[in-house]
Amino acid sequence: MRNKTLTFFLALFVSFLTTSKAYATPQISEQITIDGKDYSLLTCPLVYCEEAFDSLLLDKYNVSEWECTALWRNYRGFWSIENDKLYLDSIQVGFEGPIIKAQEEDIFKNYLDNGKIWAKWMNDEIKVGSERLLIDYRGTYEHEDFYKLENGIVKSHRRVENKLLLTSNLAEKNKEAINKWNEFGNTLRDKFPTLKGKFLVRIKYTGCQQNGLPTKVEVELVKYDEGINTDKESLKSLREAISQYSLENIMSNIYEINGKIVSFPMTYPIMLTKEEQ
């Protein structure tokens, strides 16, 4: 019975971890070179230009269909900052298309500056990530540098430090943690015999200490299958039991992002029906 339960859990686990993150497939970032080092540029400067350079390039090279779900915009720009100016060095059109030197494209001719394409249209802030990628589907890095640009010139620079405080073994699909969660589900079946069926448990930490340890948690139960028997008092007690478990066992990664302690909701299945042998 345990093997069947674990198989069911793992199948749902992979499905709901994927679908619970609204961002779906993480996108391939732009690239920027600063002081001779390459970094991930988490902003797409081309979309800020009124001349729709991105669409013009895709039309010119006849790229009309998405070739990769990790590159919905269908191009990748390679940039640099030199002498406090933002330059577009080259651009790859399509997921595996050619890499074109920006200065050789006529559409950029009005932005030539000493043989390079100066992004004078950029009047906003760009975000540059470095070191370890902490949260892939949110594009959050350990170090994030923000450059404020006016007419393509860097006017200010600030750095944000982020870090992972606590790791959830369950979110990382650790087998031991999954077995422990299943065993916890077994105790709930015995404790709440009036509750039958499969549930989805959405867990969100709403309060944490400075070291990341959670102090408050919000638990939402969603029925997974139809026609299950429930009663309000048992559901209330079930939420309290899961809340206590979630405070004692970290159910989602907890981060310090821009000086604030944060975690993101995670959804897990739980079975309250004994399977037949």
Side-chain angles (χ1 to χ4, degrees):
M1 182 173 68
R2 179 177 297 179
N3 289 338
K4 289 177 66 179
T5 301
L6 182 58
T7 301
F8 169 82
F9 182 91
L10 286 171
L12 279 181
F13 186 87
V14 173
S15 171
F16 288 108
L17 274 188
T18 302
T19 56
S20 66
K21 296 172 181 177
Y23 297 88
T25 307
Q27 295 297 291
I28 298 170
S29 67
E30 306 275 282
Q31 182 177 301
I32 190 167
T33 302
I34 303 173
D35 295 331
K37 295 183 179 180
D38 295 333
Y39 301 99
S40 294
L41 175 59
L42 306 174
T43 308
C44 297
L46 281 183
V47 304
Y48 288 81
C49 186
E50 294 181 358
E51 298 182 57
F53 288 142
D54 48 359
S55 297
L56 291 171
L57 281 168
L58 295 178
D59 289 343
K60 178 178 179 178
Y61 290 91
N62 196 28
V63 178
S64 58
E65 296 182 358
W66 289 304
E67 300 173 350
C68 176
T69 57
L71 194 65
W72 288 114
R73 64 190 184 279
N74 250 337
Y75 68 86
R76 188 185 186 204
F78 296 84
W79 307 77
S80 62
I81 291 179
E82 297 179 20
N83 299 320
D84 286 334
K85 290 182 178 180
L86 176 65
Y87 290 104
L88 174 61
D89 300 323
S90 58
I91 188 165
Q92 183 174 27
V93 183
F95 177 59
E96 295 181 328
I99 297 179
I100 304 136
K101 292 181 179 179
Q103 65 268 29
E104 296 178 358
E105 282 292 334
D106 288 340
I107 63 173
F108 297 118
K109 62 184 179 181
N110 292 333
Y111 296 92
L112 273 171
D113 177 63
N114 294 322
K116 296 172 67 69
I117 301 304
W118 176 18
K120 291 188 288 186
W121 66 82
M122 196 64 192
N123 289 286
D124 214 302
E125 196 171 54
I126 62 172
K127 176 181 174 182
V128 177
S130 60
E131 299 300 329
R132 185 160 63 108
L133 179 61
L134 290 181
I135 313 173
D136 57 355
Y137 63 97
R138 290 179 179 268
T140 301
Y141 284 76
E142 283 187 318
H143 300 326
E144 294 180 345
D145 291 277
F146 294 84
Y147 296 86
K148 178 64 178 177
L149 296 157
E150 293 181 12
N151 298 319
I153 299 174
V154 176
K155 293 298 183 179
S156 64
H157 167 233
R158 62 187 176 92
R159 166 165 281 197
V160 170
E161 303 284 354
N162 305 313
K163 55 187 175 182
L164 174 63
L165 297 177
L166 295 174
T167 301
S168 166
N169 287 331
L170 191 54
E172 299 297 329
K173 292 176 278 190
N174 178 279
K175 187 174 182 180
E176 182 179 345
I178 292 173
N179 286 335
K180 186 176 181 180
W181 174 252
N182 278 330
E183 290 299 326
F184 174 63
N186 292 337
T187 65
L188 295 179
R189 283 199 294 270
D190 296 334
K191 188 174 182 179
F192 304 105
T194 62
L195 300 179
K196 304 294 182 182
K198 306 178 185 74
F199 288 80
L200 297 181
V201 181
R202 184 175 183 271
I203 295 167
K204 179 182 179 181
Y205 291 115
T206 56
C208 295
Q209 300 177 28
Q210 282 301 111
N211 59 4
L213 286 174
T215 56
K216 295 180 182 179
V217 63
E218 191 176 272
V219 173
E220 179 183 355
L221 296 173
V222 180
K223 290 185 288 187
Y224 177 71
D225 53 358
E226 297 296 331
I228 63 177
N229 300 319
T230 61
D231 66 80
K232 291 183 179 180
E233 286 302 316
S234 292
L235 283 175
K236 179 181 177 182
S237 298
L238 175 62
R239 276 193 293 268
E240 291 173 351
I242 296 174
S243 296
Q244 186 60 40
Y245 182 91
S246 302
L247 291 174
E248 296 172 356
N249 300 271
I250 306 302
M251 302 291 283
S252 69
N253 293 346
I254 298 176
Y255 306 88
E256 181 180 320
I257 297 178
N258 197 13
K260 296 181 179 179
I261 310 299
V262 298
S263 67
F264 303 101
M266 297 294 291
T267 303
Y268 302 101
I270 194 167
M271 295 182 62
L272 296 181
T273 301
K274 291 185 178 179
E275 295 180 306
E276 296 180 358
Q277 294 284 353

